[in-house]
Amino acid sequence: MIDNSERSENRNELSQETENLAQTLADTIQEPILVLGKKFEFLNANPGLLNLFEVADKSKLREKLDTENTFFQTLKRDLEKHGRLTAQEFNSKILNTDNRKVLVNASILENSGLVLISFKVEKVGKDDKLENFNEIFSQAPAMICILRGPEHIFDRANENYFQLVGHRDIIGKTVNEALPELEGQGFFEMLDGVYNSGEAFIGNEVPVKLDAGEGKMKNSFIDFVYQPILDSTGKVNGIFVHAVDITEKVTAKLKLEQSENELRYLIDTVPAIIWITGADGQNQYLNKNWYEFTGQNYESAKNFGWLDAVHPEDRKRVEKSFLRANNERDEFYESFRLRNKEGEYRWVLDSGSPKYNSEGEFEGMIGTVIDVHDEKLKEQLIREKEHRIRSIIEEANVATALYTGKEMKIEMANDAMINLWGKDESVIGTTLHQALPELEGQPFHDLLQEVFTTGKTYWGKEDPVDLVIDNKLQTGYFNFTYKALRDENGEIYGILNMAIDVSEMVRSKELIKDSEAKYRQMADLMPEKVLNINANGKVIYFNQGWMDYTGLNKEEFENKGLDSLIHPSEREEFEKNWRHSLQTGSDFEMEVRYLNKKGKYKWHLNRAEAIFDEHGNIQIWICTATEIQKIKAEEKRKEDFLKLVSHELKTPVTSIKGYVQLLLSLLKKKEGMPLSAIPFETSLERIDQQIVRLTRLISEMLDLSRIEKNKLVLQKETFSINELVNDTIQDINYTNTNYNIILEDDYQCDIHADKDRIGQVLINLVTNAIKYSPINQDILVSVKKAGKNKVAVSVQDSGIGIDKENLKKIFKRFYRIDFKNEDTYSGFGIGLYLANEIMKRHNGKIIVESEKGKGSLFTFIVDTAVKDQNT
Ligand code: ADP
């Protein structure tokens, strides 16, 4: 632009004539015309040009028009060259030439040197202008179309627009016809508005529902412009539509809005307090949980007001900690007591982090406050509990350890346990696997896992455990427990292991077992019958003796039971007594008969004694049954003997008494009766006989008692056995005249012995021979040599004889053969016993040979006297 001073200078140079010319030209030419001076400075313009350039007056035009710009400078150059220019297109930005073409003709007036520029506006023909529509707009990212006429007939549309409407055949159709689905969406009304008003319409984020083909409706959002198209007269004859699909942007925005809403909602609904502070540390935001929790309001909580709700004891610490974090842009983490609206202080956990904006500038802190009161109390409880457990474990005498977690971490183990393991304190804190690798392959890891999952306590009883102690794998035996430990929620968190070393006990038990086996072996070898019965009365052991006796096998014996083997007469009492002992634990003793394998009952002495444990409870009964059949028989014989003795004693005494009374009564009646008529002799003889019998009886009894007391004293002398035998037979012959006793004296000798006793033996043998030979009355007595230095004296009868069974028994005390349905022979059953005892004491012996019904031969053999040895 030429400044005013310059212009005035130029004007001074111009002649008035020239100026007038310029004015004339401007006034006379209708078409827009611009008059420039020689130096291309503005001189004048006519109203047509003012119109064209849409300015009110010339001075405005002068301002607008820069004649030094490229267009005018080029024009100037060309003019100077050619003097004149025609139909040069005006291409300066100062004039809106969007829908028109401005052509200029220019020439320099020869005389004046004035430059005359005329402007001609050429309306751009529609066909010409829109010819390359598709070319121009097809690449455009926008959807573009041109509607013509008040009906909005599609004139043109670019590819994007066709895409938008699903490539429908729209050209030549009204919008109504082409896109009927737009009905009711407001677009028709908008188009009408633009068409009628001639004013453009801009739509932002307008939702549109279009048929995308195949009957599918598509929802989109568009930004669009309806720009009216004016014809040459400035009248609207169409609408230029320019639209951009911003669906994605809108949905993204909507989503963002939604998530923002959600976030806001979340912030208000999370069960946590959320806070935001500014760079200066002042409270900027607290979600509603804060206000609900503390009962504070916005006013009281703002800035640092929130600290008023912190427990006075914690306040300083919290404030300091928060400010430090804020100043150092560091994490904030504090646990403190916060007063709730009920006035109760609850433990909370407050944590925050520094917050930066997109430029990386510190904006303050953001954080949360969580109520951890219950957890804190629980934690305290657990800590207390743990403390308790720890002190229990440490103080326990029993080996105790605590493992935690599935991996069985050794949390604690007292000295006793560490010693038991043969390890040191370094195992604490390691896992059981690490601490005791030797347990691998032993059942304990599995057991622990089972307890950990099921919670069921495991009781180990005398379980063998192999442990490496002093670098040696050693087997120990332990009673132990694995007990699950639970937290407040009942969840298992660990296992308490307590163990007692019972190795010694197990080993001694094994020894006991060994000796028990030996004892059983021994018991089985005993002829005695042995039983073990438990505290409930159940037979738990019986020895071989029972099987041998009853002929039953183990199973049969068990099934039958002892009771059924007892003689029915004793069974009831036996059961009663046994019951009593079982109840009281008192010793049991009773004689009963048991059935043997031959079907016979034999007397047994039963004894049972209870063995008690240290608490006085019955552990076991040891029972024995000893066969006492023989003792019983002897007892019976003794009983029989006593009966017999009293009878035998009574008989002579009664007889003597009878004779004495007879004689006395006869003597009292002596008047009239001669003394000779009284049968003194026969009576006294009888009395004497009875006295002899009595004496014998008494002396036998005396002998018996002497022998029993081992007080039988022998008064030995040397005498002729032949004489003794001879004298004795004579004596017997004297009283037993019916018998024919023959003596065979083959051998003469002396013996050194108790003469009376030997005589007694012989008398016994001979009187027996007489007694037991009721029919054949021949008795042979012989004295014979019996080997070296021995003499045998035999007494042989042909009497009733003795059966084999009784042969050995007759020498027993009180043994008398039981003659059933036969004659009974008086006697006490001690004669042969005494004879045998006497012979034994003389180092001799007595033997018998006999056959039932054929008589007997009794022989006693004694040493001959030394004197005899020489003969
Ligand atoms: P007793 O006083 O009964 O005769 P002993 O001891 O002398 O007692 O004899 C025992 C038993 O031996 C007798 O009861 C009898 O049965 C039997 N006995 C003894 N001697 C004879 C004999 N010579 N012949 C048959 N039996 C005899």
Side-chain angles (χ1 to χ4, degrees), residues 696 700 764-765 768-773 797 799-802 810-812 815-819 825-833 850 855-856 858:
R696 205 188 121 201
E700 274 188 353
N764 190 271
L765 293 183
N768 276 352
I770 291 165
K771 198 157 61 176
Y772 301 109
S773 307
D797 64 62
I800 57 170
I802 305 161
I810 53 173
F811 295 104
K812 290 193 170 158
Y815 190 86
R816 304 198 69 241
I817 296 169
D818 208 2
F819 301 100
Y825 302 88
S826 70
F828 315 126
I830 50 171
L832 281 179
Y833 169 73
S850 182
S856 313
F858 283 88

Side-chain angles (χ1 to χ4, degrees), residues 130-238:
L130 294 179
E131 210 166 338
N132 297 325
F133 177 88
N134 279 340
E135 231 173 275
I136 296 163
F137 295 111
S138 63
Q139 298 306 319
M143 298 162 290
I144 296 167
C145 72
I146 288 171
L147 305 170
R148 291 284 177 194
E151 303 271 72
H152 318 304
I153 296 163
F154 278 102
D155 185 47
R156 277 153 201 263
N158 76 346
E159 174 55 24
N160 282 340
Y161 196 91
F162 277 112
Q163 240 171 26
L164 177 74
V165 298
H167 292 284
R168 274 179 277 180
D169 183 15
I170 53 173
I171 304 297
K173 291 181 182 165
T174 66
V175 177
N176 262 348
E177 290 163 352
L179 307 172
E181 69 268 29
L182 288 184
E183 176 75 54
Q185 295 190 40
F187 294 99
F188 300 149
E189 295 76 2
M190 282 185 256
L191 286 170
D192 288 344
V194 171
Y195 197 91
N196 295 333
S197 69
E199 274 170 27
F201 180 87
I202 296 170
N204 281 322
E205 294 176 15
V206 179
V208 59
K209 221 186 238 181
L210 277 167
D211 189 344
E214 295 169 12
K216 273 183 201 157
M217 297 302 275
K218 192 183 165 200
N219 288 317
S220 306
F221 286 91
I222 49 170
D223 278 348
F224 65 89
V225 182
Y226 288 162
Q227 178 74 45
I229 302 174
L230 307 176
D231 63 10
S232 50
T233 63
K235 228 184 105 200
V236 178
N237 70 355

